[in-house]
Amino acid sequence: GENVEQHPSTLSVQEGDSAVIKCTYSDSASNYFPWYKQELGKGPQLIIDIRSNVGEKKDQRIAVTLNKTAKHFSLHITETQPEDSAVYFCAAPKGGSNFGNEKLTFGTGTRLTIIP
Amino acid sequence: GAVVSQHPSRVICKSGTSVKIECRSLDFQATTMFWYRQFPKQSLMLMATSNEGSKATYEQGVEKDKFLINHASLTLSTLTVTSAHPEDSSFYICSAQRGGTIRPDTQYFGPGTRLTVL
């Protein structure tokens, strides 16, 4: 099965600066990497995802890069704003039997704080 | 959009009682739904996978007789915590997949249900 590691666990960034969160995965067959944002007391919200046929995807201030050789992917948030403060989770397919490719294994999360 | 709702958002119950949590896909049909639990300041842990019209598949270590899952329609899955105890107190979150052609399919999450067992 897949093992996902996420760093850093906490990140404080001055408003307007960029934030980068990195995840590594273990299964070279993994082909889908979503990022979720979770605000306090709420469910995770998909903010961007990438499939293994591309190396980068961008949506306004948010981008994700994927390095299949090194088996890591990163979330980049530019021009950070106070409303970006939340916990961010990366994920990858869990693998294995019983619909393993549809299940997700989540990273341990990064608590991002934007300092006004 | 892909909106998933959960009900209730919060529930407090006495030890030994059963609690039912509903997960609904509001604007799409969900062939597969997932149930997770999340302890404070921790990540999401998958409990089970629910497919419409068939039995749920549980992750290792999750008691299927304690966490009953029913996926009666393409828009509704329910999780029943039977004989709840304080250690079952947690944040329970469901997710749903549209069942599109691109695999793996995107998971859209509900807002979560905070269960407190006294």
Side-chain angles (χ1 to χ4, degrees), chain B residues 40-91:
Chain B
K41 297 187 178 182
Q42 292 191 21
S43 189
L44 288 82
M45 297 299 296
L46 180 65
M47 298 175 65
T49 303
S50 169
N51 288 289
E52 186 264 340
S54 61
K55 288 185 179 180
T57 56
Y58 291 80
E59 295 300 301
Q60 192 172 6
V62 178
E63 299 175 59
K64 62 179 181 180
D65 294 331
K66 180 164 187 64
F67 299 99
L68 301 179
I69 291 172
N70 183 278
H71 195 150
S73 77
L74 284 172
T75 59
L76 174 64
S77 176
T78 60
L79 167 68
T80 301
V81 183
T82 63
S83 186
H85 288 96
E87 57 266 29
D88 298 322
S89 298
S90 189
F91 193 50

Side-chain angles (χ1 to χ4, degrees), chain A residues 36 38 51 94 102-103 107, chain B residues 38 43 59 97 104 107:
Chain A
Y36 288 89
Q38 187 177 29
R51 297 188 184 269
K94 191 177 180 71
E102 297 296 327
K103 303 177 187 178
Chain B
Q38 185 179 34
S43 189
E59 295 300 301
Q97 291 179 320
Q107 290 188 30

Side-chain angles (χ1 to χ4, degrees), chain A residues 31-32 36 38 41-44 46 49 51 89 93-94 99 101-104 106-108 111, chain B residues 34 36 38 41-44 46 49 51 59 91 93 97 102-107 109-111:
Chain A
N31 60 351
Y32 173 64
Y36 288 89
Q38 187 177 29
K42 298 184 179 180
L46 179 72
D49 58 10
R51 297 188 184 269
F89 291 98
K94 191 177 180 71
F99 304 99
N101 197 43
E102 297 296 327
K103 303 177 187 178
L104 293 176
F106 284 81
T108 48
R111 183 171 299 277
Chain B
F34 301 87
Y36 296 81
Q38 185 179 34
K41 297 187 178 182
Q42 292 191 21
S43 189
L44 288 82
L46 180 65
T49 303
N51 288 289
E59 295 300 301
F91 193 50
I93 317 171
Q97 291 179 320
I102 299 175
R103 316 307 297 190
D105 201 2
T106 301
Q107 290 188 30
F109 282 82

Side-chain angles (χ1 to χ4, degrees), chain A residues 16-68:
Chain A
D17 289 349
S18 297
V20 180
I21 303 170
K22 298 181 180 179
C23 285
T24 61
Y25 59 97
S26 59
D27 188 349
S28 58
S30 289
N31 60 351
Y32 173 64
F33 308 94
W35 283 92
Y36 288 89
K37 174 184 180 182
Q38 187 177 29
E39 297 178 346
L40 190 62
K42 298 184 179 180
Q45 177 189 9
L46 179 72
I47 55 172
I48 197 167
D49 58 10
I50 191 168
R51 297 188 184 269
S52 58
N53 57 339
V54 297
E56 183 174 359
K57 184 176 178 181
K58 191 173 181 180
D59 183 5
Q60 299 183 348
R61 296 188 296 110
I62 295 173
V64 55
T65 57
L66 171 64
N67 184 326
K68 288 192 292 182

